[in-house]
Amino acid sequence: MSWFRSWNPFRKKQAPPQPLPTAPKAGTAAQPPKQEPEPPAPELPQELADSPLAKGMMAKFYRFWKNPSFIKQLRSLSAHMAKDGVDVKNTEAVKAWLDKNKAGIEKGDFNEPPQEAAKPQTFVKTGPDVGRNDPCPCGSGKKYKKCCQGKAA
C-alpha cells in the first residue's frame, strides 16, 4: 500500500528543501539575501493629502478597479473625452469636461463608447493566384517565374 501514498493525487505537495546556508570564505563579509523593495503606494496630490474624504475616494476607487463594468465605463468616458478633444492627462480639462457633462453621465448617455466611422472594407481577391510554375497570364507562353514575376516585384 505504500505505492498508493506516493501516487495519491490529492496529497499536498511538499515544498522543496531550502539549501543550507554556507559559511562565508575567509576574508569576505557575509551578505544578507537581497529582497525586492515593495513599490511605494501612489501619492495623492498635495491639496488632497490631508483630506479624509479624498483618501476614502481613493480606497473606493481601488475596490472598484477590478470590476469589469467599472473599467468599461472608464474606457467609454475616456473615448468620449478624446472625441471632444479633451487631453485626459490634464486634470483641469477632465474636471471641466465632467462638470459640463455631469447631467448626461448621471442619465447614462455615456455608458457606451461613441460610434466610430465605418470600418474599411476587407480586400477580397477577384481571381486565383498565379503560381510561379504556371503559364504567365500575359500570354507569352513562358512560365510566370521566367516572364512577369520579376516585373511584379
Side-chain angles (χ1 to χ4, degrees), residues 21-43:
T22 58
K25 295 181 182 177
T28 60
Q31 296 178 354
K34 294 182 180 179
Q35 294 180 353
E36 296 284 331
E38 291 186 17
E43 295 291 325

Side-chain angles (χ1 to χ4, degrees), residues 25-72:
K25 295 181 182 177
T28 60
Q31 296 178 354
K34 294 182 180 179
Q35 294 180 353
E36 296 284 331
E38 291 186 17
E43 295 291 325
L44 288 173
Q46 187 60 34
E47 63 269 9
L48 300 176
D50 298 328
S51 170
L53 178 64
K55 290 180 182 178
M57 290 298 289
M58 288 301 290
K60 189 174 183 180
F61 175 77
Y62 286 128
R63 280 196 303 270
F64 280 110
W65 186 248
K66 302 246 175 161
N67 186 346
S69 62
F70 179 70
I71 299 298
K72 181 181 176 187

Side-chain angles (χ1 to χ4, degrees), residues 49-110:
D50 298 328
S51 170
L53 178 64
K55 290 180 182 178
M57 290 298 289
M58 288 301 290
K60 189 174 183 180
F61 175 77
Y62 286 128
R63 280 196 303 270
F64 280 110
W65 186 248
K66 302 246 175 161
N67 186 346
S69 62
F70 179 70
I71 299 298
K72 181 181 176 187
Q73 180 69 28
L74 282 179
R75 287 187 178 142
S76 172
L77 285 174
S78 67
H80 281 284
M81 287 182 208
K83 180 182 171 194
D84 292 344
V86 176
D87 179 19
V88 294
K89 294 183 179 181
N90 184 351
T91 307
E92 281 75 31
V94 170
K95 285 180 183 177
W97 187 88
L98 289 172
D99 289 338
K100 183 178 95 174
N101 296 302
K102 188 172 186 175
I105 292 170
E106 290 174 354
K107 199 166 53 168
D109 293 342
F110 299 103

